[in-house]
Amino acid sequence: MSSMPNINLWIGPYGSSPTSTVADAVQKAASPKVLIGTGATSSSLYICPSSAPSGCEPGARRFSRLFSPLSIAERYYVPAVNIFRTKGAKTVGIVYETSAFGTSLALGSKAEAINNKLNITLEQTCPPTPNAGNVSLLVDSIIQANPDVVICGLYYAASVEMIKQFKARNFVPKAFVSRMGDVALFNDLGRDASYSIDSNYWDSRLRGDDYIDTLYFPPSPAISSPAPRRWADAFAEVFGFQPGGNYEGVSFVAGEVLHRAIERARSWDPVRVQQALSQIQFTSFWGKITFNGFGYNELYPFTQVQYNDQALSEIIYPLIASTQDTVYPIPLWEERSQRLYAYWQMSEKAIVGLAGIFMILTFAMMLFVVILSNRHRVIKAASPPFLLLFLFGSLLLYTGVIMWSLYVPTAVCNAVAWCLSVGFVVMFGSLFGRTFRILQIIKKSKYAPVKFTNKRLLVFVSLLVAVDVIVLIIWTSVVPIRGVFIQPDRYRPLQDIVQCTLQSSDYIFIGILGAYKLLIMCAGLFFSVKIWNFRLSEFNESKPIAFGQYNLIFFMILAIVAVAVFDPVSQRIASYVLRSVAIMLATFIAVLVIMIPKIYAVYKIPPGTESSRRPKMSVLMSGIHSPTGTGSGSGTNTSSHTNSKSFSSMSESELEARLSRMTKDLERVKADNKRLEAENTRLKKQLALAAEEESTEESSEEKKDAVPKKGTDESDATEPSSSSEEKVKKSAASPKMKKDDSKASSKNMDEGSPAEEKQAPEPLSKKDKKKKKQQQDEEKAPESSSSSSSTESSESEEEKKPKKKGAK
């Protein structure tokens, strides 16, 4: 400057330290001069500090010939502190180097934090231009204090080193503010610089009334671009690159300020230009330009930027020009990488582990059934093939839960629908099919032989599954479920997911499948109620099925709530956990209520000993055939008692075949009974005719004997009369005897001893017949046949006739 004494208007260098040197020379120059600063923001250049040299009163203006289109460093982070308060920050930590710029920045940030009622939990300094060791000490203090917001009064190199040490120690504050504005930022840090906040002088994306430039870029209806953008394009056209936010713009606006001051002063005289600068006020592509009494632009707002996930700056202040909302709190280091695959989250691992435990237990139960399928009557009665089918259906449901994770592509979405739908039908269809078989046996065994084999039952369950499969094939062919990429938080790629998304047409098929399964459940409940009192507990699973349905409905409601109520994006983990646990518990409880009684029975009654510890099968099976559902014991088929020991070694199909044969025997006995009843009716009619003829004949004889002969007593004359009365009584008693004979014949048929195969008993005396009749009345089961009754009646008549003849 001393070599160019005739130059009176100067544009200063960038930075507070060199500007201080030049401003001091301008202030001490013999001739008046003016200096326009371009990057000097330290408040000590404009306001005398308490440690100012002699001749500068603290708080007064330091350089009267220095002007700056920028504000001071104390205002650097004021907008950012205000944003943090609105975002919910509570504590602030401040670290800075003891340079003029660093101290000014820290003091201004501290004052604004206190003004916003934020707690200062850390305030620590380091030497100017700190090395890695100095930065490490600062990082230790920050981690120990753990403030919500970290504000750094450091330059570029120290700020880069601090971020590197943050990542090495896996520490992330909720907000990090520091001077990062350098073109080498991405090369030095890459995406690790993301979400840091910086303060720039200017940005080409700014807009609003404060950025209207009437001198160089006047508004025009034909031009929609704001002045900052138009200036940046013009700069790039001349120099071949886009201007940054700190150097090019402030240098240009310094020349514009001097240009406007000269025009206002209408002179090059530095004194008059200095006076014009004190009064100047205008808007340009840079923003509002004015100078206060200390020579700096106190109305100028520093632009606050935050680096996005690509380490590119986004404007967060001024709000009118913001390109994104402030990310607070900033993502953790692990949240910044995308993981588009399943089973990496802790909730998924827990669900898969729980499903794995259930599947292992189910496989153990299947092995238990296979081993004891031919060794224990309880397992035989449960029909091992369909018990295995029931357990296989539960495995399908567990598989569907495992596949229905937080990452579900299109193919897996449709596989989940198949596993859950088919698994339900296989599992509960096998139970309901067995219940239906027992119901058919109970109903038809009273009237006709029943043969409901495992093969027939397999066809029944296969038809249930076939209906479900047909609907699923149509669904997945016409409108398959789509896996859609969802980004809950663009700043946290770790949360990106692919989820199954339903279209409106998908709900039609869901409704059809749901109604079909509801029909299966209602049918199963109906069958269970019908066989509720069936006495063979090995075959009757109505109570476990009813209990399983109750739990199924309860947990189904939980699963529906999890899917419908919880938000699939923001509450996806809660929805995932609740629906998965509900499906697995409903399935596992249904398995337990079916399998635990069988396991307990096997444990309580070891294989090979169960036949001696259970009631005879003939007594239990009598409940099927008796009209009232209970057996009488005495009326049981003799062959059933004889073969009862063989039931323990029979399978379910063998028991059904045996039951069918017994039913045929019963029907044959009933047919014989009907034939005998017809024969008894015919005999009754013949006996009634014979009695009528005999009565007529006796009445004629009485008339002949009415005239007494000579030489006879009166007692002899009355004897025929008494003899006639006795015959009438015997004749009247003969129908009752015939009825008893009919009952005896029917009873013999029920016991499996046809009357035609029995021989007529020997004639009995009156005393024996009376005793016999009392025994019949007590047991209500006469032992004599109709043939013996007719023989006794004829013999009785022959005994009476000799008496009458003797009387005559």
Side-chain angles (χ1 to χ4, degrees):
M1 184 176 290
S2 60
S3 61
M4 294 178 286
N6 296 326
I7 300 177
N8 297 322
L9 303 177
W10 291 82
I11 295 176
Y14 182 86
S16 295
S17 294
T19 299
S20 177
T21 302
V22 175
D24 186 64
V26 169
Q27 190 72 21
K28 295 177 179 179
S31 59
K33 297 181 183 298
V34 174
L35 176 62
I36 307 297
T38 56
T41 57
S42 174
S43 60
S44 61
L45 294 174
Y46 307 98
I47 305 172
C48 290
S50 57
S51 59
S54 59
C56 183
E57 184 179 354
R61 183 171 180 174
R62 183 175 181 183
F63 300 113
S64 59
R65 297 177 180 180
L66 174 63
F67 295 87
S68 174
L70 299 174
S71 187
I72 55 178
E74 282 83 348
R75 304 291 301 173
Y76 252 56
Y77 297 135
V78 168
V81 173
N82 290 327
I83 291 173
F84 297 144
R85 179 184 58 81
T86 60
K87 293 291 184 179
K90 302 296 182 183
T91 57
V92 175
I94 301 174
V95 293
Y96 58 97
E97 61 181 53
T98 55
S99 62
F101 168 76
T103 302
S104 297
L105 190 150
L107 292 176
S109 301
K110 179 181 178 180
E112 191 64 24
I114 295 173
N115 186 48
N116 282 278
K117 298 181 179 180
L118 300 176
N119 296 324
I120 307 298
T121 58
L122 175 66
E123 186 176 359
Q124 187 167 339
T125 62
C126 65
T129 315
N131 55 28
N134 300 134
V135 173
S136 179
L137 294 175
L138 293 178
V139 171
D140 290 339
S141 300
I142 292 171
I143 294 175
Q144 185 176 2
N146 192 24
D148 292 339
V149 179
V150 176
I151 299 177
C152 297
L154 306 173
Y155 284 103
Y156 175 77
S159 298
V160 170
E161 179 63 25
M162 181 168 286
I163 291 177
K164 289 181 178 179
Q165 294 201 24
F166 278 166
K167 185 176 183 180
R169 304 189 192 191
N170 196 28
F171 174 78
V172 179
K174 293 182 179 179
F176 178 74
V177 184
S178 186
R179 290 293 292 140
M180 305 292 295
D182 195 284
V183 294
L185 177 64
F186 188 80
N187 294 330
D188 292 338
L189 286 177
R191 293 185 179 181
D192 292 346
S194 300
Y195 311 111
S196 299
I197 294 176
D198 195 1
S199 181
N200 287 343
Y201 297 158
W202 177 84
D203 195 286
S204 61
R205 295 167 291 181
L206 292 170
R207 61 182 182 273
D209 294 340
D210 292 343
Y211 299 93
I212 297 175
D213 194 326
T214 57
L215 180 61
Y216 298 111
F217 307 100
S220 171
I223 302 175
S224 59
S225 299
R229 178 74 268 163
R230 293 165 66 187
W231 180 85
D233 293 341
F235 181 92
E237 187 177 349
V238 174
F239 296 100
F241 64 92
Q242 286 287 334
N246 292 328
Y247 309 115
E248 299 86 359
V250 70
S251 300
F252 184 93
V253 80
E256 183 181 358
V257 165
L258 191 57
H259 175 201
R260 287 177 179 268
I262 292 171
E263 285 185 342
R264 186 180 183 86
R266 297 178 182 274
S267 172
W268 289 84
D269 180 40
V271 176
R272 297 183 65 178
V273 170
Q274 183 177 348
Q275 292 176 351
L277 287 172
S278 301
Q279 300 172 358
I280 201 170
Q281 186 175 357
F282 65 94
T283 60
S284 71
F285 74 95
W286 186 257
K288 283 186 177 183
I289 303 296
T290 187
F291 303 101
N292 63 5
F294 295 98
Y296 63 86
N297 183 6
E298 64 180 356
L299 297 180
Y300 184 78
F302 287 102
T303 302
Q304 310 291 297
V305 298
Q306 185 175 38
Y307 297 98
N308 61 17
D309 56 344
Q310 303 297 323
L312 302 176
S313 65
E314 301 285 351
I315 298 174
I316 60 174
Y317 185 86
L319 298 179
I320 192 174
S322 63
T323 56
Q324 76 169 33
D325 190 22
T326 304
V327 179
Y328 180 91
I330 63 178
L332 302 177
W333 295 112
E334 59 269 18
E335 292 179 329
R336 304 182 187 187
S337 59
Q338 191 180 63
R339 299 183 186 180
L340 286 181
Y341 54 89
Y343 314 126
W344 62 267
Q345 295 202 45
M346 186 58 64
S347 58
E348 291 179 304
K349 293 178 181 178
I351 293 298
V352 171
L354 184 60
I357 293 173
F358 289 160
M359 294 180 77
I360 291 173
L361 293 175
T362 303
F363 277 118
M365 293 178 189
M366 295 177 75
L367 183 63
F368 169 82
V369 171
V370 171
I371 293 174
L372 296 178
S373 60
N374 293 319
R375 298 180 58 194
H376 203 285
R377 65 178 178 86
V378 173
I379 304 301
K380 291 178 185 178
S383 187
F386 292 92
L387 202 55
L388 293 174
L389 197 62
F390 167 76
L391 295 174
F392 176 72
S394 68
L395 291 177
L396 287 179
L397 290 174
Y398 295 140
T399 305
V401 170
I402 292 175
M403 290 192 298
W404 196 2
S405 64
L406 293 175
Y407 173 77
V408 193
T410 299
V412 179
C413 286
N414 293 279
V416 168
W418 276 77
C419 286
L420 295 181
S421 185
V422 175
F424 179 92
V425 176
V426 170
M427 184 177 179
F428 289 93
S430 60
L431 283 182
F432 299 158
R434 293 183 61 248
T435 307
F436 176 71
R437 173 163 68 175
I438 299 300
L439 178 62
Q440 293 301 305
I441 293 174
I442 294 174
K443 289 176 61 177
K444 295 184 179 181
S445 62
K446 300 177 184 179
Y447 310 107
V450 178
K451 189 176 182 181
F452 208 115
T453 62
N454 284 342
K455 184 177 181 181
R456 184 177 174 186
L457 184 56
L458 180 60
V459 172
F460 177 83
V461 178
S462 300
L463 290 176
L464 293 178
V465 177
V467 173
D468 201 65
V469 169
I470 290 172
V471 176
L472 286 170
I473 290 175
I474 297 174
W475 183 10
T476 53
S477 300
V478 178
V479 281
I481 306 175
R482 302 291 183 184
V484 178
F485 174 77
I486 300 175
Q487 190 176 49
D489 189 342
R490 57 170 293 194
Y491 310 113
R492 291 169 171 80
L494 187 67
Q495 298 180 8
D496 294 349
I497 56 175
V498 177
Q499 279 285 26
C500 302
T501 303
L502 299 176
Q503 305 175 21
S504 58
S505 54
D506 292 324
Y507 290 100
I508 298 175
F509 291 96
I510 291 176
I512 294 173
L513 292 173
Y516 177 59
K517 288 165 180 56
L518 182 62
L519 179 63
I520 292 178
M521 292 178 60
C522 293
L525 184 60
F526 175 76
F527 299 155
S528 300
V529 172
K530 282 290 186 179
I531 67 168
W532 193 268
N533 295 320
F534 183 55
R535 300 181 64 190
L536 293 177
S537 60
E538 295 92 340
F539 299 93
N540 187 0
E541 294 177 341
S542 57
K543 296 177 179 64
I545 290 175
F547 182 73
Q549 282 187 329
Y550 166 77
N551 284 278
L552 179 67
I553 293 172
F554 175 76
F555 287 110
M556 186 182 297
I557 292 173
L558 286 182
I560 292 173
V561 168
V563 175
V565 175
F566 288 99
D567 184 77
V569 177
S570 61
Q571 298 175 313
R572 63 190 180 280
I573 294 179
S575 175
Y576 165 71
V577 171
L578 185 58
R579 76 160 185 258
S580 300
V581 171
I583 295 173
M584 288 191 296
L585 286 181
T587 304
F588 192 65
I589 291 176
V591 170
L592 289 182
V593 297
I594 296 297
M595 294 300 301
I596 289 299
K598 296 173 176 53
I599 296 173
Y600 175 75
V602 171
Y603 171 77
K604 189 176 180 181
I605 308 175
T609 63
E610 68 273 10
S611 60
S612 61
R613 303 182 61 180
R614 64 184 180 93
K616 292 185 176 181
M617 186 63 72
S618 59
V619 177
L620 292 175
M621 294 298 287
S622 64
I624 299 177
H625 299 293
S626 61
T628 59
T630 59
S632 63
S634 61
T636 311
N637 195 318
T638 306
S639 61
S640 298
H641 290 285
T642 304
N643 301 324
S644 61
K645 291 184 179 180
S646 63
F647 280 112
S648 61
S649 60
M650 290 185 181
S651 64
E652 186 175 354
S653 59
E654 292 172 337
L655 287 172
E656 290 175 4
R658 188 59 179 271
L659 179 60
S660 178
R661 291 194 297 271
M662 293 170 65
T663 305
K664 291 180 180 179
D665 294 339
L666 180 61
E667 294 299 326
R668 186 174 63 253
V669 171
K670 288 181 179 180
D672 292 340
N673 286 342
K674 290 181 180 180
R675 181 177 57 78
L676 291 174
E677 286 177 3
E679 182 66 22
N680 288 338
T681 302
R682 186 181 63 80
L683 291 173
K684 286 178 184 179
K685 291 180 180 180
Q686 290 180 356
L687 290 173
L689 291 173
E692 185 178 356
E693 291 176 357
E694 185 177 352
S695 177
T696 305
E697 188 177 322
E698 289 177 356
S699 61
S700 62
E701 290 180 358
E702 288 176 358
K703 290 180 182 180
K704 291 179 181 180
D705 296 338
V707 181
K709 295 181 180 180
K710 296 179 181 181
T712 59
D713 299 337
E714 291 180 1
S715 59
D716 293 335
T718 59
E719 186 177 344
S721 177
S722 61
S723 177
S724 177
E725 291 177 0
E726 185 178 350
K727 290 179 179 180
V728 172
K729 290 180 181 179
K730 289 182 176 290
S731 176
S734 61
K736 183 176 181 180
M737 296 175 65
K738 294 170 186 174
K739 184 177 181 180
D740 293 338
D741 292 339
S742 175
K743 289 183 178 180
S745 177
S746 177
K747 182 63 180 178
N748 289 330
M749 294 304 296
D750 290 338
E751 292 178 351
S753 301
E756 60 268 26
E757 296 178 5
K758 293 187 177 181
Q759 296 179 359
E762 295 295 330
L764 301 175
S765 63
K766 291 182 179 180
K767 186 177 179 179
D768 292 335
K769 286 197 286 184
K770 185 176 180 180
K771 185 177 180 181
K772 181 85 172 172
K773 187 174 182 180
Q774 289 177 354
Q775 184 178 356
Q776 290 173 350
D777 293 338
E778 291 175 358
E779 296 178 354
K780 295 183 180 180
E783 298 292 342
S784 62
S785 65
S786 61
S787 60
S788 64
S789 177
S790 61
T791 304
E792 291 172 13
S793 178
S794 61
E795 289 176 357
S796 176
E797 294 296 331
E798 291 175 358
E799 290 175 358
K800 293 176 184 178
K801 288 179 180 180
K803 290 182 182 180
K804 292 180 181 180
K805 190 174 181 181
K808 291 180 182 179

